[in-house]
Amino acid sequence: MQEETKEKILKVIDFTKHVVHWGFIPFVIYLGRARNDLSMQYKMVKSVEYPYDVRTGQIHRSIWESVETPTESSLP
Amino acid sequence: MDDVRASGTRKFWECVNKDLPRARHVLPQHTNTAKMAAKHPSHPKPHTPPIPPIPPTPAVFEKPSAWNVSAWYSRLNDYRDSLDLPNPGKFEMLHGEAKNSFTTNYLFDGAQANIIKELSSNFHVQHQFSLGSVVAPPMYNFMAGFTTDRTQLQGTMDSDTNMNATLKHMWTPRNSTKLVTQITSTPGHSMLQVEQDYQGRDFTANFKAMNPSPLEFTGLYMASYLQSVTPRLAVGSEVVLQRPTPEMEETVMSLVGKYTGPDYIATAQFQGGAVQASYFQRINEKVDFGVELNLLIGGGRREAVATVGGKFEFRQATFRGQVDTTGRVSAVLEEKMAPGFSFLISGDLDHMKGQSRFGVGIMLSA
């Protein structure tokens, strides 16, 4: 039984190695886009709903004024 | 009928209990008779017993027995806290300041272009092109990194489909785990390193395992401990257990001492027959110098290499130069031409071997 479990564990380790090899970078890209673009979109929607700066009362001239840095959402 | 009985019994008990204290929390001087006596002094004062003094509560934290280990431990901890020793830093960064003045990590060969793009405050992407190198074939490298306040993920993919991945997680500000993997398409060259680091108040403990196999416990295991003994001196040791096959086992232990002065750091590491000593001096906020000595005594031979390196940091440029006793001279210059654009030059001359390597590169950050 020891040999069989050893072989199974080796197979599982090999499979995880392949998964990590090809899936890690797409996973990091997914995390980078999913955890960020949502907050950026929220900020954009917020500026459309409240078209003036809450603190100073100044009217926004464009949507991007409420967002700190307008960044590209597409990869180069 | 119940109401009549209740009121009757209440009046009866009120008459009887007029002189007796009504409840335990009512002191004798607050009963009706006492109040009446206070208003009309002619009435005889009721006999109120004197309030006994509250006995002192016994000290619970100091047991008279000498076998109280928890009291020893807390007393030792209080003594340690009263010393107020600083954290000595990580073990792998012992020679870190001196090595930062060297060109070792910054040398490159051929033409190189680095494009770093920060897509958001948490996420950045880097493209690296390398061409014309003597040591490595032309290659393209893609790197993606995701950072939060506790986790840091970084993945690098080669044009040869080699992957490097790093995962750092901080469970608490003192406890952190790091996983580094290197997976290659050619079987047998893959590597996994697991590291657990604990930074205490005045000590650092680290455990590292390289290629640990859960089946046979082969691999390389390292444990290190570094402790501050005075506000300037830190001592520590590292134990390395090498187990390439289940039968072969080799243990190496090394002792380490680190002395931090006002503007210098001196470190020495003794391991069997090998000595690694470094001295780092900060001359001013722009200039750093480091000296490292590697001595190997054993097996009938004695070898020593000394390296002197300096780092010059200016507003728009960083220059690192290094001279070796093996006759090797190297220098790296990074110049910030415009915000987001820097220019790199690297040169490495080995006079003994007669080899030279030069590199030119640009780094763009957008």
Side-chain angles (χ1 to χ4, degrees), chain B residues 55 120 125 151 154 161 221 283 296 344:
Chain B
S120 71
V125 161
T151 323
Q154 199 162 15
T161 66
Y221 302 95
I283 294 178
L296 190 64
L344 294 110

mmCIF file of all heavy atoms in Angstrom, chain B residues 55 120 125 151 154 161 221 283 296 344:
data_model
loop_
_atom_site.group_PDB
_atom_site.id
_atom_site.type_symbol
_atom_site.label_atom_id
_atom_site.label_comp_id
_atom_site.label_asym_id
_atom_site.label_seq_id
_atom_site.Cartn_x
_atom_site.Cartn_y
_atom_site.Cartn_z
ATOM 1 N N PRO B 55 -10.409 43.018 55.248
ATOM 2 C CA PRO B 55 -9.073 42.411 55.309
ATOM 3 C C PRO B 55 -8.364 42.590 53.966
ATOM 4 O O PRO B 55 -9.005 42.597 52.917
ATOM 5 C CB PRO B 55 -9.355 40.932 55.591
ATOM 6 C CG PRO B 55 -10.759 40.721 55.123
ATOM 7 C CD PRO B 55 -11.478 42.016 55.290
ATOM 8 N N SER B 120 -2.260 49.540 -11.505
ATOM 9 C CA SER B 120 -2.969 50.152 -10.387
ATOM 10 C C SER B 120 -2.020 50.084 -9.204
ATOM 11 O O SER B 120 -0.895 49.610 -9.325
ATOM 12 C CB SER B 120 -4.283 49.434 -10.104
ATOM 13 O OG SER B 120 -4.011 48.188 -9.550
ATOM 14 N N VAL B 125 2.992 45.141 -14.042
ATOM 15 C CA VAL B 125 3.373 44.186 -15.083
ATOM 16 C C VAL B 125 4.705 44.633 -15.652
ATOM 17 O O VAL B 125 4.941 45.824 -15.824
ATOM 18 C CB VAL B 125 2.266 44.161 -16.172
ATOM 19 C CG1 VAL B 125 2.788 43.572 -17.447
ATOM 20 C CG2 VAL B 125 1.081 43.376 -15.706
ATOM 21 N N THR B 151 -0.259 40.483 1.491
ATOM 22 C CA THR B 151 0.165 39.431 0.566
ATOM 23 C C THR B 151 0.885 40.039 -0.607
ATOM 24 O O THR B 151 0.581 41.140 -1.027
ATOM 25 C CB THR B 151 -1.072 38.676 0.042
ATOM 26 O OG1 THR B 151 -2.010 38.555 1.092
ATOM 27 C CG2 THR B 151 -0.692 37.299 -0.429
ATOM 28 N N GLN B 154 4.019 37.213 -7.058
ATOM 29 C CA GLN B 154 4.791 37.647 -8.210
ATOM 30 C C GLN B 154 5.076 36.436 -9.089
ATOM 31 O O GLN B 154 5.544 35.410 -8.586
ATOM 32 C CB GLN B 154 6.099 38.262 -7.738
ATOM 33 C CG GLN B 154 6.748 39.130 -8.763
ATOM 34 C CD GLN B 154 7.779 40.041 -8.120
ATOM 35 O OE1 GLN B 154 8.183 39.815 -6.990
ATOM 36 N NE2 GLN B 154 8.186 41.044 -8.816
ATOM 37 N N THR B 161 9.676 29.067 -21.477
ATOM 38 C CA THR B 161 8.609 28.526 -20.622
ATOM 39 C C THR B 161 9.129 28.068 -19.270
ATOM 40 O O THR B 161 8.663 27.070 -18.719
ATOM 41 C CB THR B 161 7.830 27.385 -21.302
ATOM 42 O OG1 THR B 161 8.708 26.280 -21.489
ATOM 43 C CG2 THR B 161 7.252 27.812 -22.610
ATOM 44 N N TYR B 221 17.160 21.640 4.693
ATOM 45 C CA TYR B 221 16.431 22.348 5.737
ATOM 46 C C TYR B 221 17.383 23.272 6.470
ATOM 47 O O TYR B 221 18.484 22.897 6.838
ATOM 48 C CB TYR B 221 15.812 21.353 6.728
ATOM 49 C CG TYR B 221 14.877 20.369 6.076
ATOM 50 C CD1 TYR B 221 15.324 19.120 5.693
ATOM 51 C CD2 TYR B 221 13.549 20.705 5.840
ATOM 52 C CE1 TYR B 221 14.474 18.226 5.082
ATOM 53 C CE2 TYR B 221 12.696 19.803 5.235
ATOM 54 C CZ TYR B 221 13.163 18.569 4.857
ATOM 55 O OH TYR B 221 12.319 17.685 4.256
ATOM 56 N N ILE B 283 29.442 56.657 4.556
ATOM 57 C CA ILE B 283 30.303 57.843 4.654
ATOM 58 C C ILE B 283 29.451 59.103 4.699
ATOM 59 O O ILE B 283 29.676 59.988 5.509
ATOM 60 C CB ILE B 283 31.312 57.846 3.488
ATOM 61 C CG1 ILE B 283 32.237 56.648 3.682
ATOM 62 C CG2 ILE B 283 32.082 59.138 3.448
ATOM 63 C CD1 ILE B 283 33.231 56.488 2.600
ATOM 64 N N LEU B 296 38.289 30.407 3.152
ATOM 65 C CA LEU B 296 37.959 28.982 3.196
ATOM 66 C C LEU B 296 39.205 28.210 3.595
ATOM 67 O O LEU B 296 40.193 28.189 2.855
ATOM 68 C CB LEU B 296 37.470 28.535 1.803
ATOM 69 C CG LEU B 296 36.853 27.149 1.720
ATOM 70 C CD1 LEU B 296 35.590 27.099 2.541
ATOM 71 C CD2 LEU B 296 36.541 26.817 0.282
ATOM 72 N N LEU B 344 20.905 52.379 -18.347
ATOM 73 C CA LEU B 344 21.840 51.576 -17.553
ATOM 74 C C LEU B 344 23.056 51.184 -18.371
ATOM 75 O O LEU B 344 22.933 50.831 -19.550
ATOM 76 C CB LEU B 344 21.167 50.274 -17.093
ATOM 77 C CG LEU B 344 20.022 50.348 -16.122
ATOM 78 C CD1 LEU B 344 18.737 49.988 -16.800
ATOM 79 C CD2 LEU B 344 20.260 49.407 -14.976
#
